[in-house]
Amino acid sequence: MYLVGGAVRDKLLGLPVKDRDWVVVGATVEDMLEMGFQPVPGVFPVFIHPQTGEEYALARRETKTGPGYHGFSVETGPDVTLEQDLARRDLTINAMAEDERGTIIDPFGGRKDLQRRLLRHVTPAFAEDPVRLLRIARFSARFSSLGFHVAHETHGVMKEMAAAGELAHLQGQRIWQEMARALMEAQPWRFFQVLHACGALGRLFPVLASALPDSPGDENPEEDGEPIAVLKRAVTGKASLALRFVCIMQYAVDAGHPASQLTAWLAVEKKTATLFENWLLARPLLLDLPKGNARAYRQYLQRFRHCLPQLGQLAQICMPHLAEQLSPLLEQARAAMLSVDVAELQEQGLQGRFLGEELRRRQEQAIASVLRGSGEN
Ligand code: ATP
Ligand code: MG
């Protein structure tokens, strides 16, 4: 039994190891069951250790069964070697194993690539699984702050994969799974830059891709383009996953690629999808508010009453200059609006439509005095 994957990599990098994956060589399914391992339903041949709960997979080997990207099959058996199992892994830094005595088995130069800070594919079989494009972009988001970058020849393979339309085989849900993890890494913008550099972003999110410069401004952040600059501010502000999603994906939609279609495809959480749609509706209204009257303020506050704090955060990230001016004003306007007492109007005998109209009139009056006090409008 060997420790494999991220645990070996992270240990060698001196990073904390979160989850440990193991590979078992020379055993059969029956051996595993006899030792008390629990099979994971649907992900043959992976087992859960009865005490530690960690994942143990039987060593697997990939063999070519035909031409093209998907002409391969995966087999398992007691004759599959550790090296064969490591060969089907994505990156050299993920293709090392450690035995029980702490010896590192490293047939593909993973340690050297760790030192050289290279994300490099193990074999040409890399091209057989489009998820690997997303994974390498995600590892860039995680490790580029340590100096890691995509190896030149790997970049070439990625370009070929993107050009061959490999990403069309991916489900939106799978894309979101990787993107969501990337968004919470140290430098999430790398995820998008790496996908853009190989041409994959244009296949996945054409509108976003056209909003990014062809070559990222590595040294010069002013050349990042707005979507990347906004995402960087979201990270600085420790924004939540939902906010980060909205920050970047607002640049992925247009009339031909509507928000509802994007969120349905990616299968993002309902509350994230709702926030996204609200932000896209709120954004133009916010831009107009500085020249708006009390009615415009009231309508904005009323319409978005369920998500005002999040919209405020988004405004701070996406339009900081405007937000600095608007936020205190919106806060005061909201307080003024809430100070109008409905019960008092009801006591005066107002009901139904008349009550609503009078309430709105008084709210706008209260907001107007806030706006006058601030010297606006
Ligand atoms: P993390 O720290 O995010 O868990 P990890 O490298 O451990 O990183 P896992 O998704 O846990 O990633 O996968 C464990 C190992 O399985 C990887 O290190 C890699 O060797 C291999 N692996 C996972 N997914 C793929 C894939 N799509 N193609 C090739 N190898 C993969
Ligand atoms: Mg792992």
Side-chain angles (χ1 to χ4, degrees):
M1 290 175 183
Y2 299 87
L3 186 61
V4 284
V8 180
R9 176 198 68 218
D10 291 347
K11 228 163 133 176
L12 290 170
L13 279 172
L15 299 175
V17 170
K18 274 164 260 123
D19 65 358
R20 301 199 297 174
D21 296 303
W22 301 84
V23 69
V24 185
V25 179
T28 62
V29 172
E30 293 69 36
D31 294 334
M32 297 302 284
L33 297 175
E34 217 164 276
M35 286 185 285
F37 283 85
Q38 300 294 316
V40 180
V43 258
F44 180 83
V46 181
F47 300 84
I48 298 295
H49 190 287
Q51 269 92 47
T52 65
E54 291 174 344
E55 278 191 7
Y56 285 69
L58 289 186
R60 277 166 277 185
R61 163 174 62 210
E62 278 173 14
T63 41
K64 270 262 177 240
T65 53
Y69 283 116
H70 300 288
F72 72 97
S73 74
V74 181
E75 30 175 61
T76 181
D79 62 316
V80 177
T81 65
L82 177 63
E83 188 156 333
Q84 285 172 331
D85 183 274
L86 295 176
R88 66 170 182 87
R89 292 170 184 269
D90 52 356
L91 303 176
T92 58
I93 63 167
N94 292 341
M96 294 181 276
E98 188 189 292
D99 71 11
E100 66 223 339
R101 287 178 310 201
T103 308
I104 303 290
I105 297 102
D106 177 21
F108 302 101
R111 256 178 310 193
K112 200 160 127 214
D113 286 340
L114 276 182
Q115 274 157 15
R116 296 201 291 182
R117 301 300 201 229
L118 280 179
L119 302 172
R120 185 205 301 279
H121 67 293
V122 176
T123 71
F126 183 88
E128 283 159 7
D129 177 6
V131 167
R132 293 170 188 161
L133 285 177
L134 302 171
R135 283 177 58 89
I136 196 167
R138 174 163 69 78
F139 284 117
S140 301
R142 187 190 297 181
F143 289 133
S144 59
S145 54
L146 300 178
F148 278 86
H149 55 273
V150 177
H152 182 72
E153 55 287 18
T154 302
H155 180 66
V157 175
M158 293 170 73
K159 275 201 330 214
E160 281 170 24
M161 290 169 76
E166 276 299 284
L167 291 152
H169 302 291
L170 284 180
Q171 285 186 334
Q173 208 171 350
R174 191 71 186 83
I175 294 163
W176 171 231
Q177 219 176 52
E178 294 296 324
M179 195 204 299
R181 294 183 68 184
L183 281 172
M184 299 315 287
E185 298 289 2
Q187 301 194 326
W189 54 90
R190 294 283 176 200
F191 180 80
F192 300 96
Q193 288 176 331
V194 165
L195 290 176
H196 188 44
C198 70
L201 197 67
R203 300 291 185 131
L204 295 173
F205 307 109
V207 184
L208 174 60
S210 62
L212 294 186
D214 285 339
S215 54
D218 246 357
E219 270 85 55
N220 190 359
E222 271 151 43
E223 290 162 22
D224 280 344
E226 188 176 311
I228 299 297
V230 165
L231 189 52
K232 285 185 176 178
R233 285 203 293 274
V235 174
T236 308
K238 300 196 163 34
S240 67
L241 174 61
L243 292 186
R244 290 177 192 207
F245 170 81
V246 174
C247 282
I248 188 75
M249 285 296 131
Q250 65 180 316
Y251 300 101
V253 295
D254 66 9
H257 304 79
S260 55
Q261 193 181 311
L262 182 76
T263 53
W265 176 52
L266 296 175
V268 301
E269 296 71 7
K270 179 90 178 20
K271 65 177 202 306
T272 305
T274 306
L275 179 64
F276 189 34
E277 304 225 359
N278 279 328
W279 170 248
L280 294 173
L281 293 169
R283 193 176 59 182
L285 300 183
L286 281 169
L287 288 168
D288 279 347
L289 270 190
K291 15 183 193 44
N293 55 16
R295 165 161 301 173
Y297 277 81
R298 184 187 60 71
Q299 285 174 339
Y300 176 86
L301 291 166
Q302 174 66 24
R303 179 163 188 184
F304 299 110
R305 62 191 177 284
H306 299 304
C307 55
L308 288 170
Q310 286 152 305
L311 295 182
Q313 272 179 287
L314 281 165
Q316 227 121 50
I317 296 166
C318 303
M319 35 179 88
H321 297 298
L322 184 71
E324 201 182 322
Q325 169 201 355
L326 271 183
S327 299
L329 219 50
L330 274 169
E331 195 37 60
Q332 289 168 44
R334 198 181 73 94
M337 202 170 140
L338 291 175
S339 72
V340 178
D341 189 354
V342 192
E344 196 182 299
L345 298 179
Q346 282 167 325
E347 275 162 32
Q348 290 170 14
L350 285 168
Q351 350 170 338
R353 184 159 66 82
F354 299 104
L355 177 63
E357 274 169 16
E358 182 58 12
L359 181 62
R360 284 194 288 277
R361 200 182 62 79
R362 297 214 183 179
Q363 286 174 335
E364 281 170 25
Q365 238 170 25
I367 293 171
S369 81
V370 166
L371 296 179
R372 270 196 305 278
S374 78
E376 301 269 330
N377 307 293

